[in-house]
Amino acid sequence: ASKALYLHLSPWTRTLYLDMDTLVVQPLPWAVFDLLQWYDFLAVPEPQWDGGYLAKMELGPEGEQQFNTGVMLYRRSECLRRFFALWEEIWSNETSCDFRSPWDQCGLYRAVRRTPHFKV
């Protein structure tokens, strides 16, 4: 199943999501949460955005950075709720994301682009 189906269930105002295969090699400063004063959602760059499988999907303008869904930081808001709902809808319904599981970057990218006033 896609992360889009459950990320909105976080009980906290601010959430740092890490995939279970993420290796944290040093302590994260609490100040990382201060970034959410200016942003609704933060994610690390997609390391495979180098002409690999994601680039072949033609998700956006050439050279535009894609996000990896393994490390995400977000704050609860109405805008974020709409973003997660749209991401889930895209992941569930758009056939152009035909390899939906286990990758969900396709739906994430499209939801980011379609959510008005979303600060990423």
Side-chain angles (χ1 to χ4, degrees):
S2 171
K3 297 171 188 90
L5 303 175
Y6 60 82
L7 288 172
H8 70 281
L9 299 174
S10 171
W12 296 284
T13 305
R14 300 174 304 168
T15 300
L16 173 62
Y17 170 84
L18 301 172
D19 264 353
M20 64 184 288
D21 63 347
T22 299
L23 177 63
V24 178
V25 295
Q26 66 184 35
L28 295 170
W30 283 107
V32 73
F33 287 96
D34 292 342
L35 294 169
L36 294 173
Q37 295 176 63
W38 299 283
Y39 299 98
D40 296 305
F41 178 87
L42 295 148
V44 297
E46 169 54 51
Q48 296 185 45
W49 189 250
D50 61 356
Y53 70 90
L54 285 173
K56 291 179 175 74
M57 293 182 58
E58 301 175 6
L59 293 175
E62 188 173 331
E64 186 169 66
Q65 181 62 58
Q66 301 298 305
F67 303 108
N68 181 287
T69 61
V71 179
M72 298 178 283
L73 180 66
Y74 55 92
R75 65 181 166 94
R76 190 178 327 142
S77 68
E78 179 58 27
C79 192
L80 186 78
R81 186 200 63 73
R82 288 192 313 267
F83 164 73
F84 280 145
L86 181 58
W87 184 10
E88 181 180 340
E89 178 184 327
I90 290 168
W91 184 85
S92 298
N93 299 320
E94 290 196 13
T95 58
S96 58
C97 296
D98 59 353
F99 58 84
R100 283 179 280 216
S101 185
W103 300 291
D104 38 30
Q105 277 95 338
C106 173
L108 172 75
Y109 174 81
R110 291 177 179 157
V112 165
R113 295 291 163 241
R114 296 178 193 173
T115 303
H117 312 294
F118 192 52
K119 293 182 262 176
V120 178

